[in-house]
Amino acid sequence: MTGSLDKKLMLWDLKTRNVSPSGTIILDSDVASLSICGMYILAAVARNVYFYDMRNLTTPVNEKDCPLEYPIRCLHASPEWNGICLPTPPTTIFF
């Protein structure tokens, strides 16, 4: 899985010799951070966190708005899948 400043989220299948992505999602803004937890991908885009299921990348299964006034630059999903950590100055937010 890769995300970049060209507003694309791409899924790559490393088992094939194909050099093109197996799935591409065009987003509204740059992808600042990715976190993978099990079969789910979390993508930080502007002030939103999008949740995608790797088995079906057509639409996000969930979306959360960040309560901060600044864009998200980093995120991490908890291993138990019960929260998200957004480390931002001067504090860290969990939701």
Side-chain angles (χ1 to χ4, degrees), residues 6-7 15 18 30 34 46 49 51 55 61 80 92 94:
D6 64 355
K7 303 178 184 177
K15 295 178 184 175
N18 191 358
D30 302 339
L34 293 173
V49 177
F51 298 79
R55 298 165 289 194
V61 293
E80 295 84 25
T92 300
F94 297 93

Side-chain angles (χ1 to χ4, degrees), residues 29-87:
S29 187
D30 302 339
V31 179
S33 182
L34 293 173
S35 182
I36 298 176
C37 185
M39 292 301 291
Y40 293 96
I41 302 162
L42 283 71
V45 179
R47 291 178 48 208
N48 299 320
V49 177
Y50 295 102
F51 298 79
Y52 287 95
D53 187 338
M54 280 194 243
R55 298 165 289 194
N56 183 9
L57 292 171
T58 54
T59 58
V61 293
N62 197 357
E63 176 183 342
K64 290 194 179 255
D65 294 325
C66 179
L68 299 174
E69 61 182 277
Y70 302 106
I72 301 168
R73 295 288 172 227
C74 182
L75 71 94
H76 181 72
S78 70
E80 295 84 25
W81 195 244
N82 59 1
I84 304 167
C85 174
L86 304 171

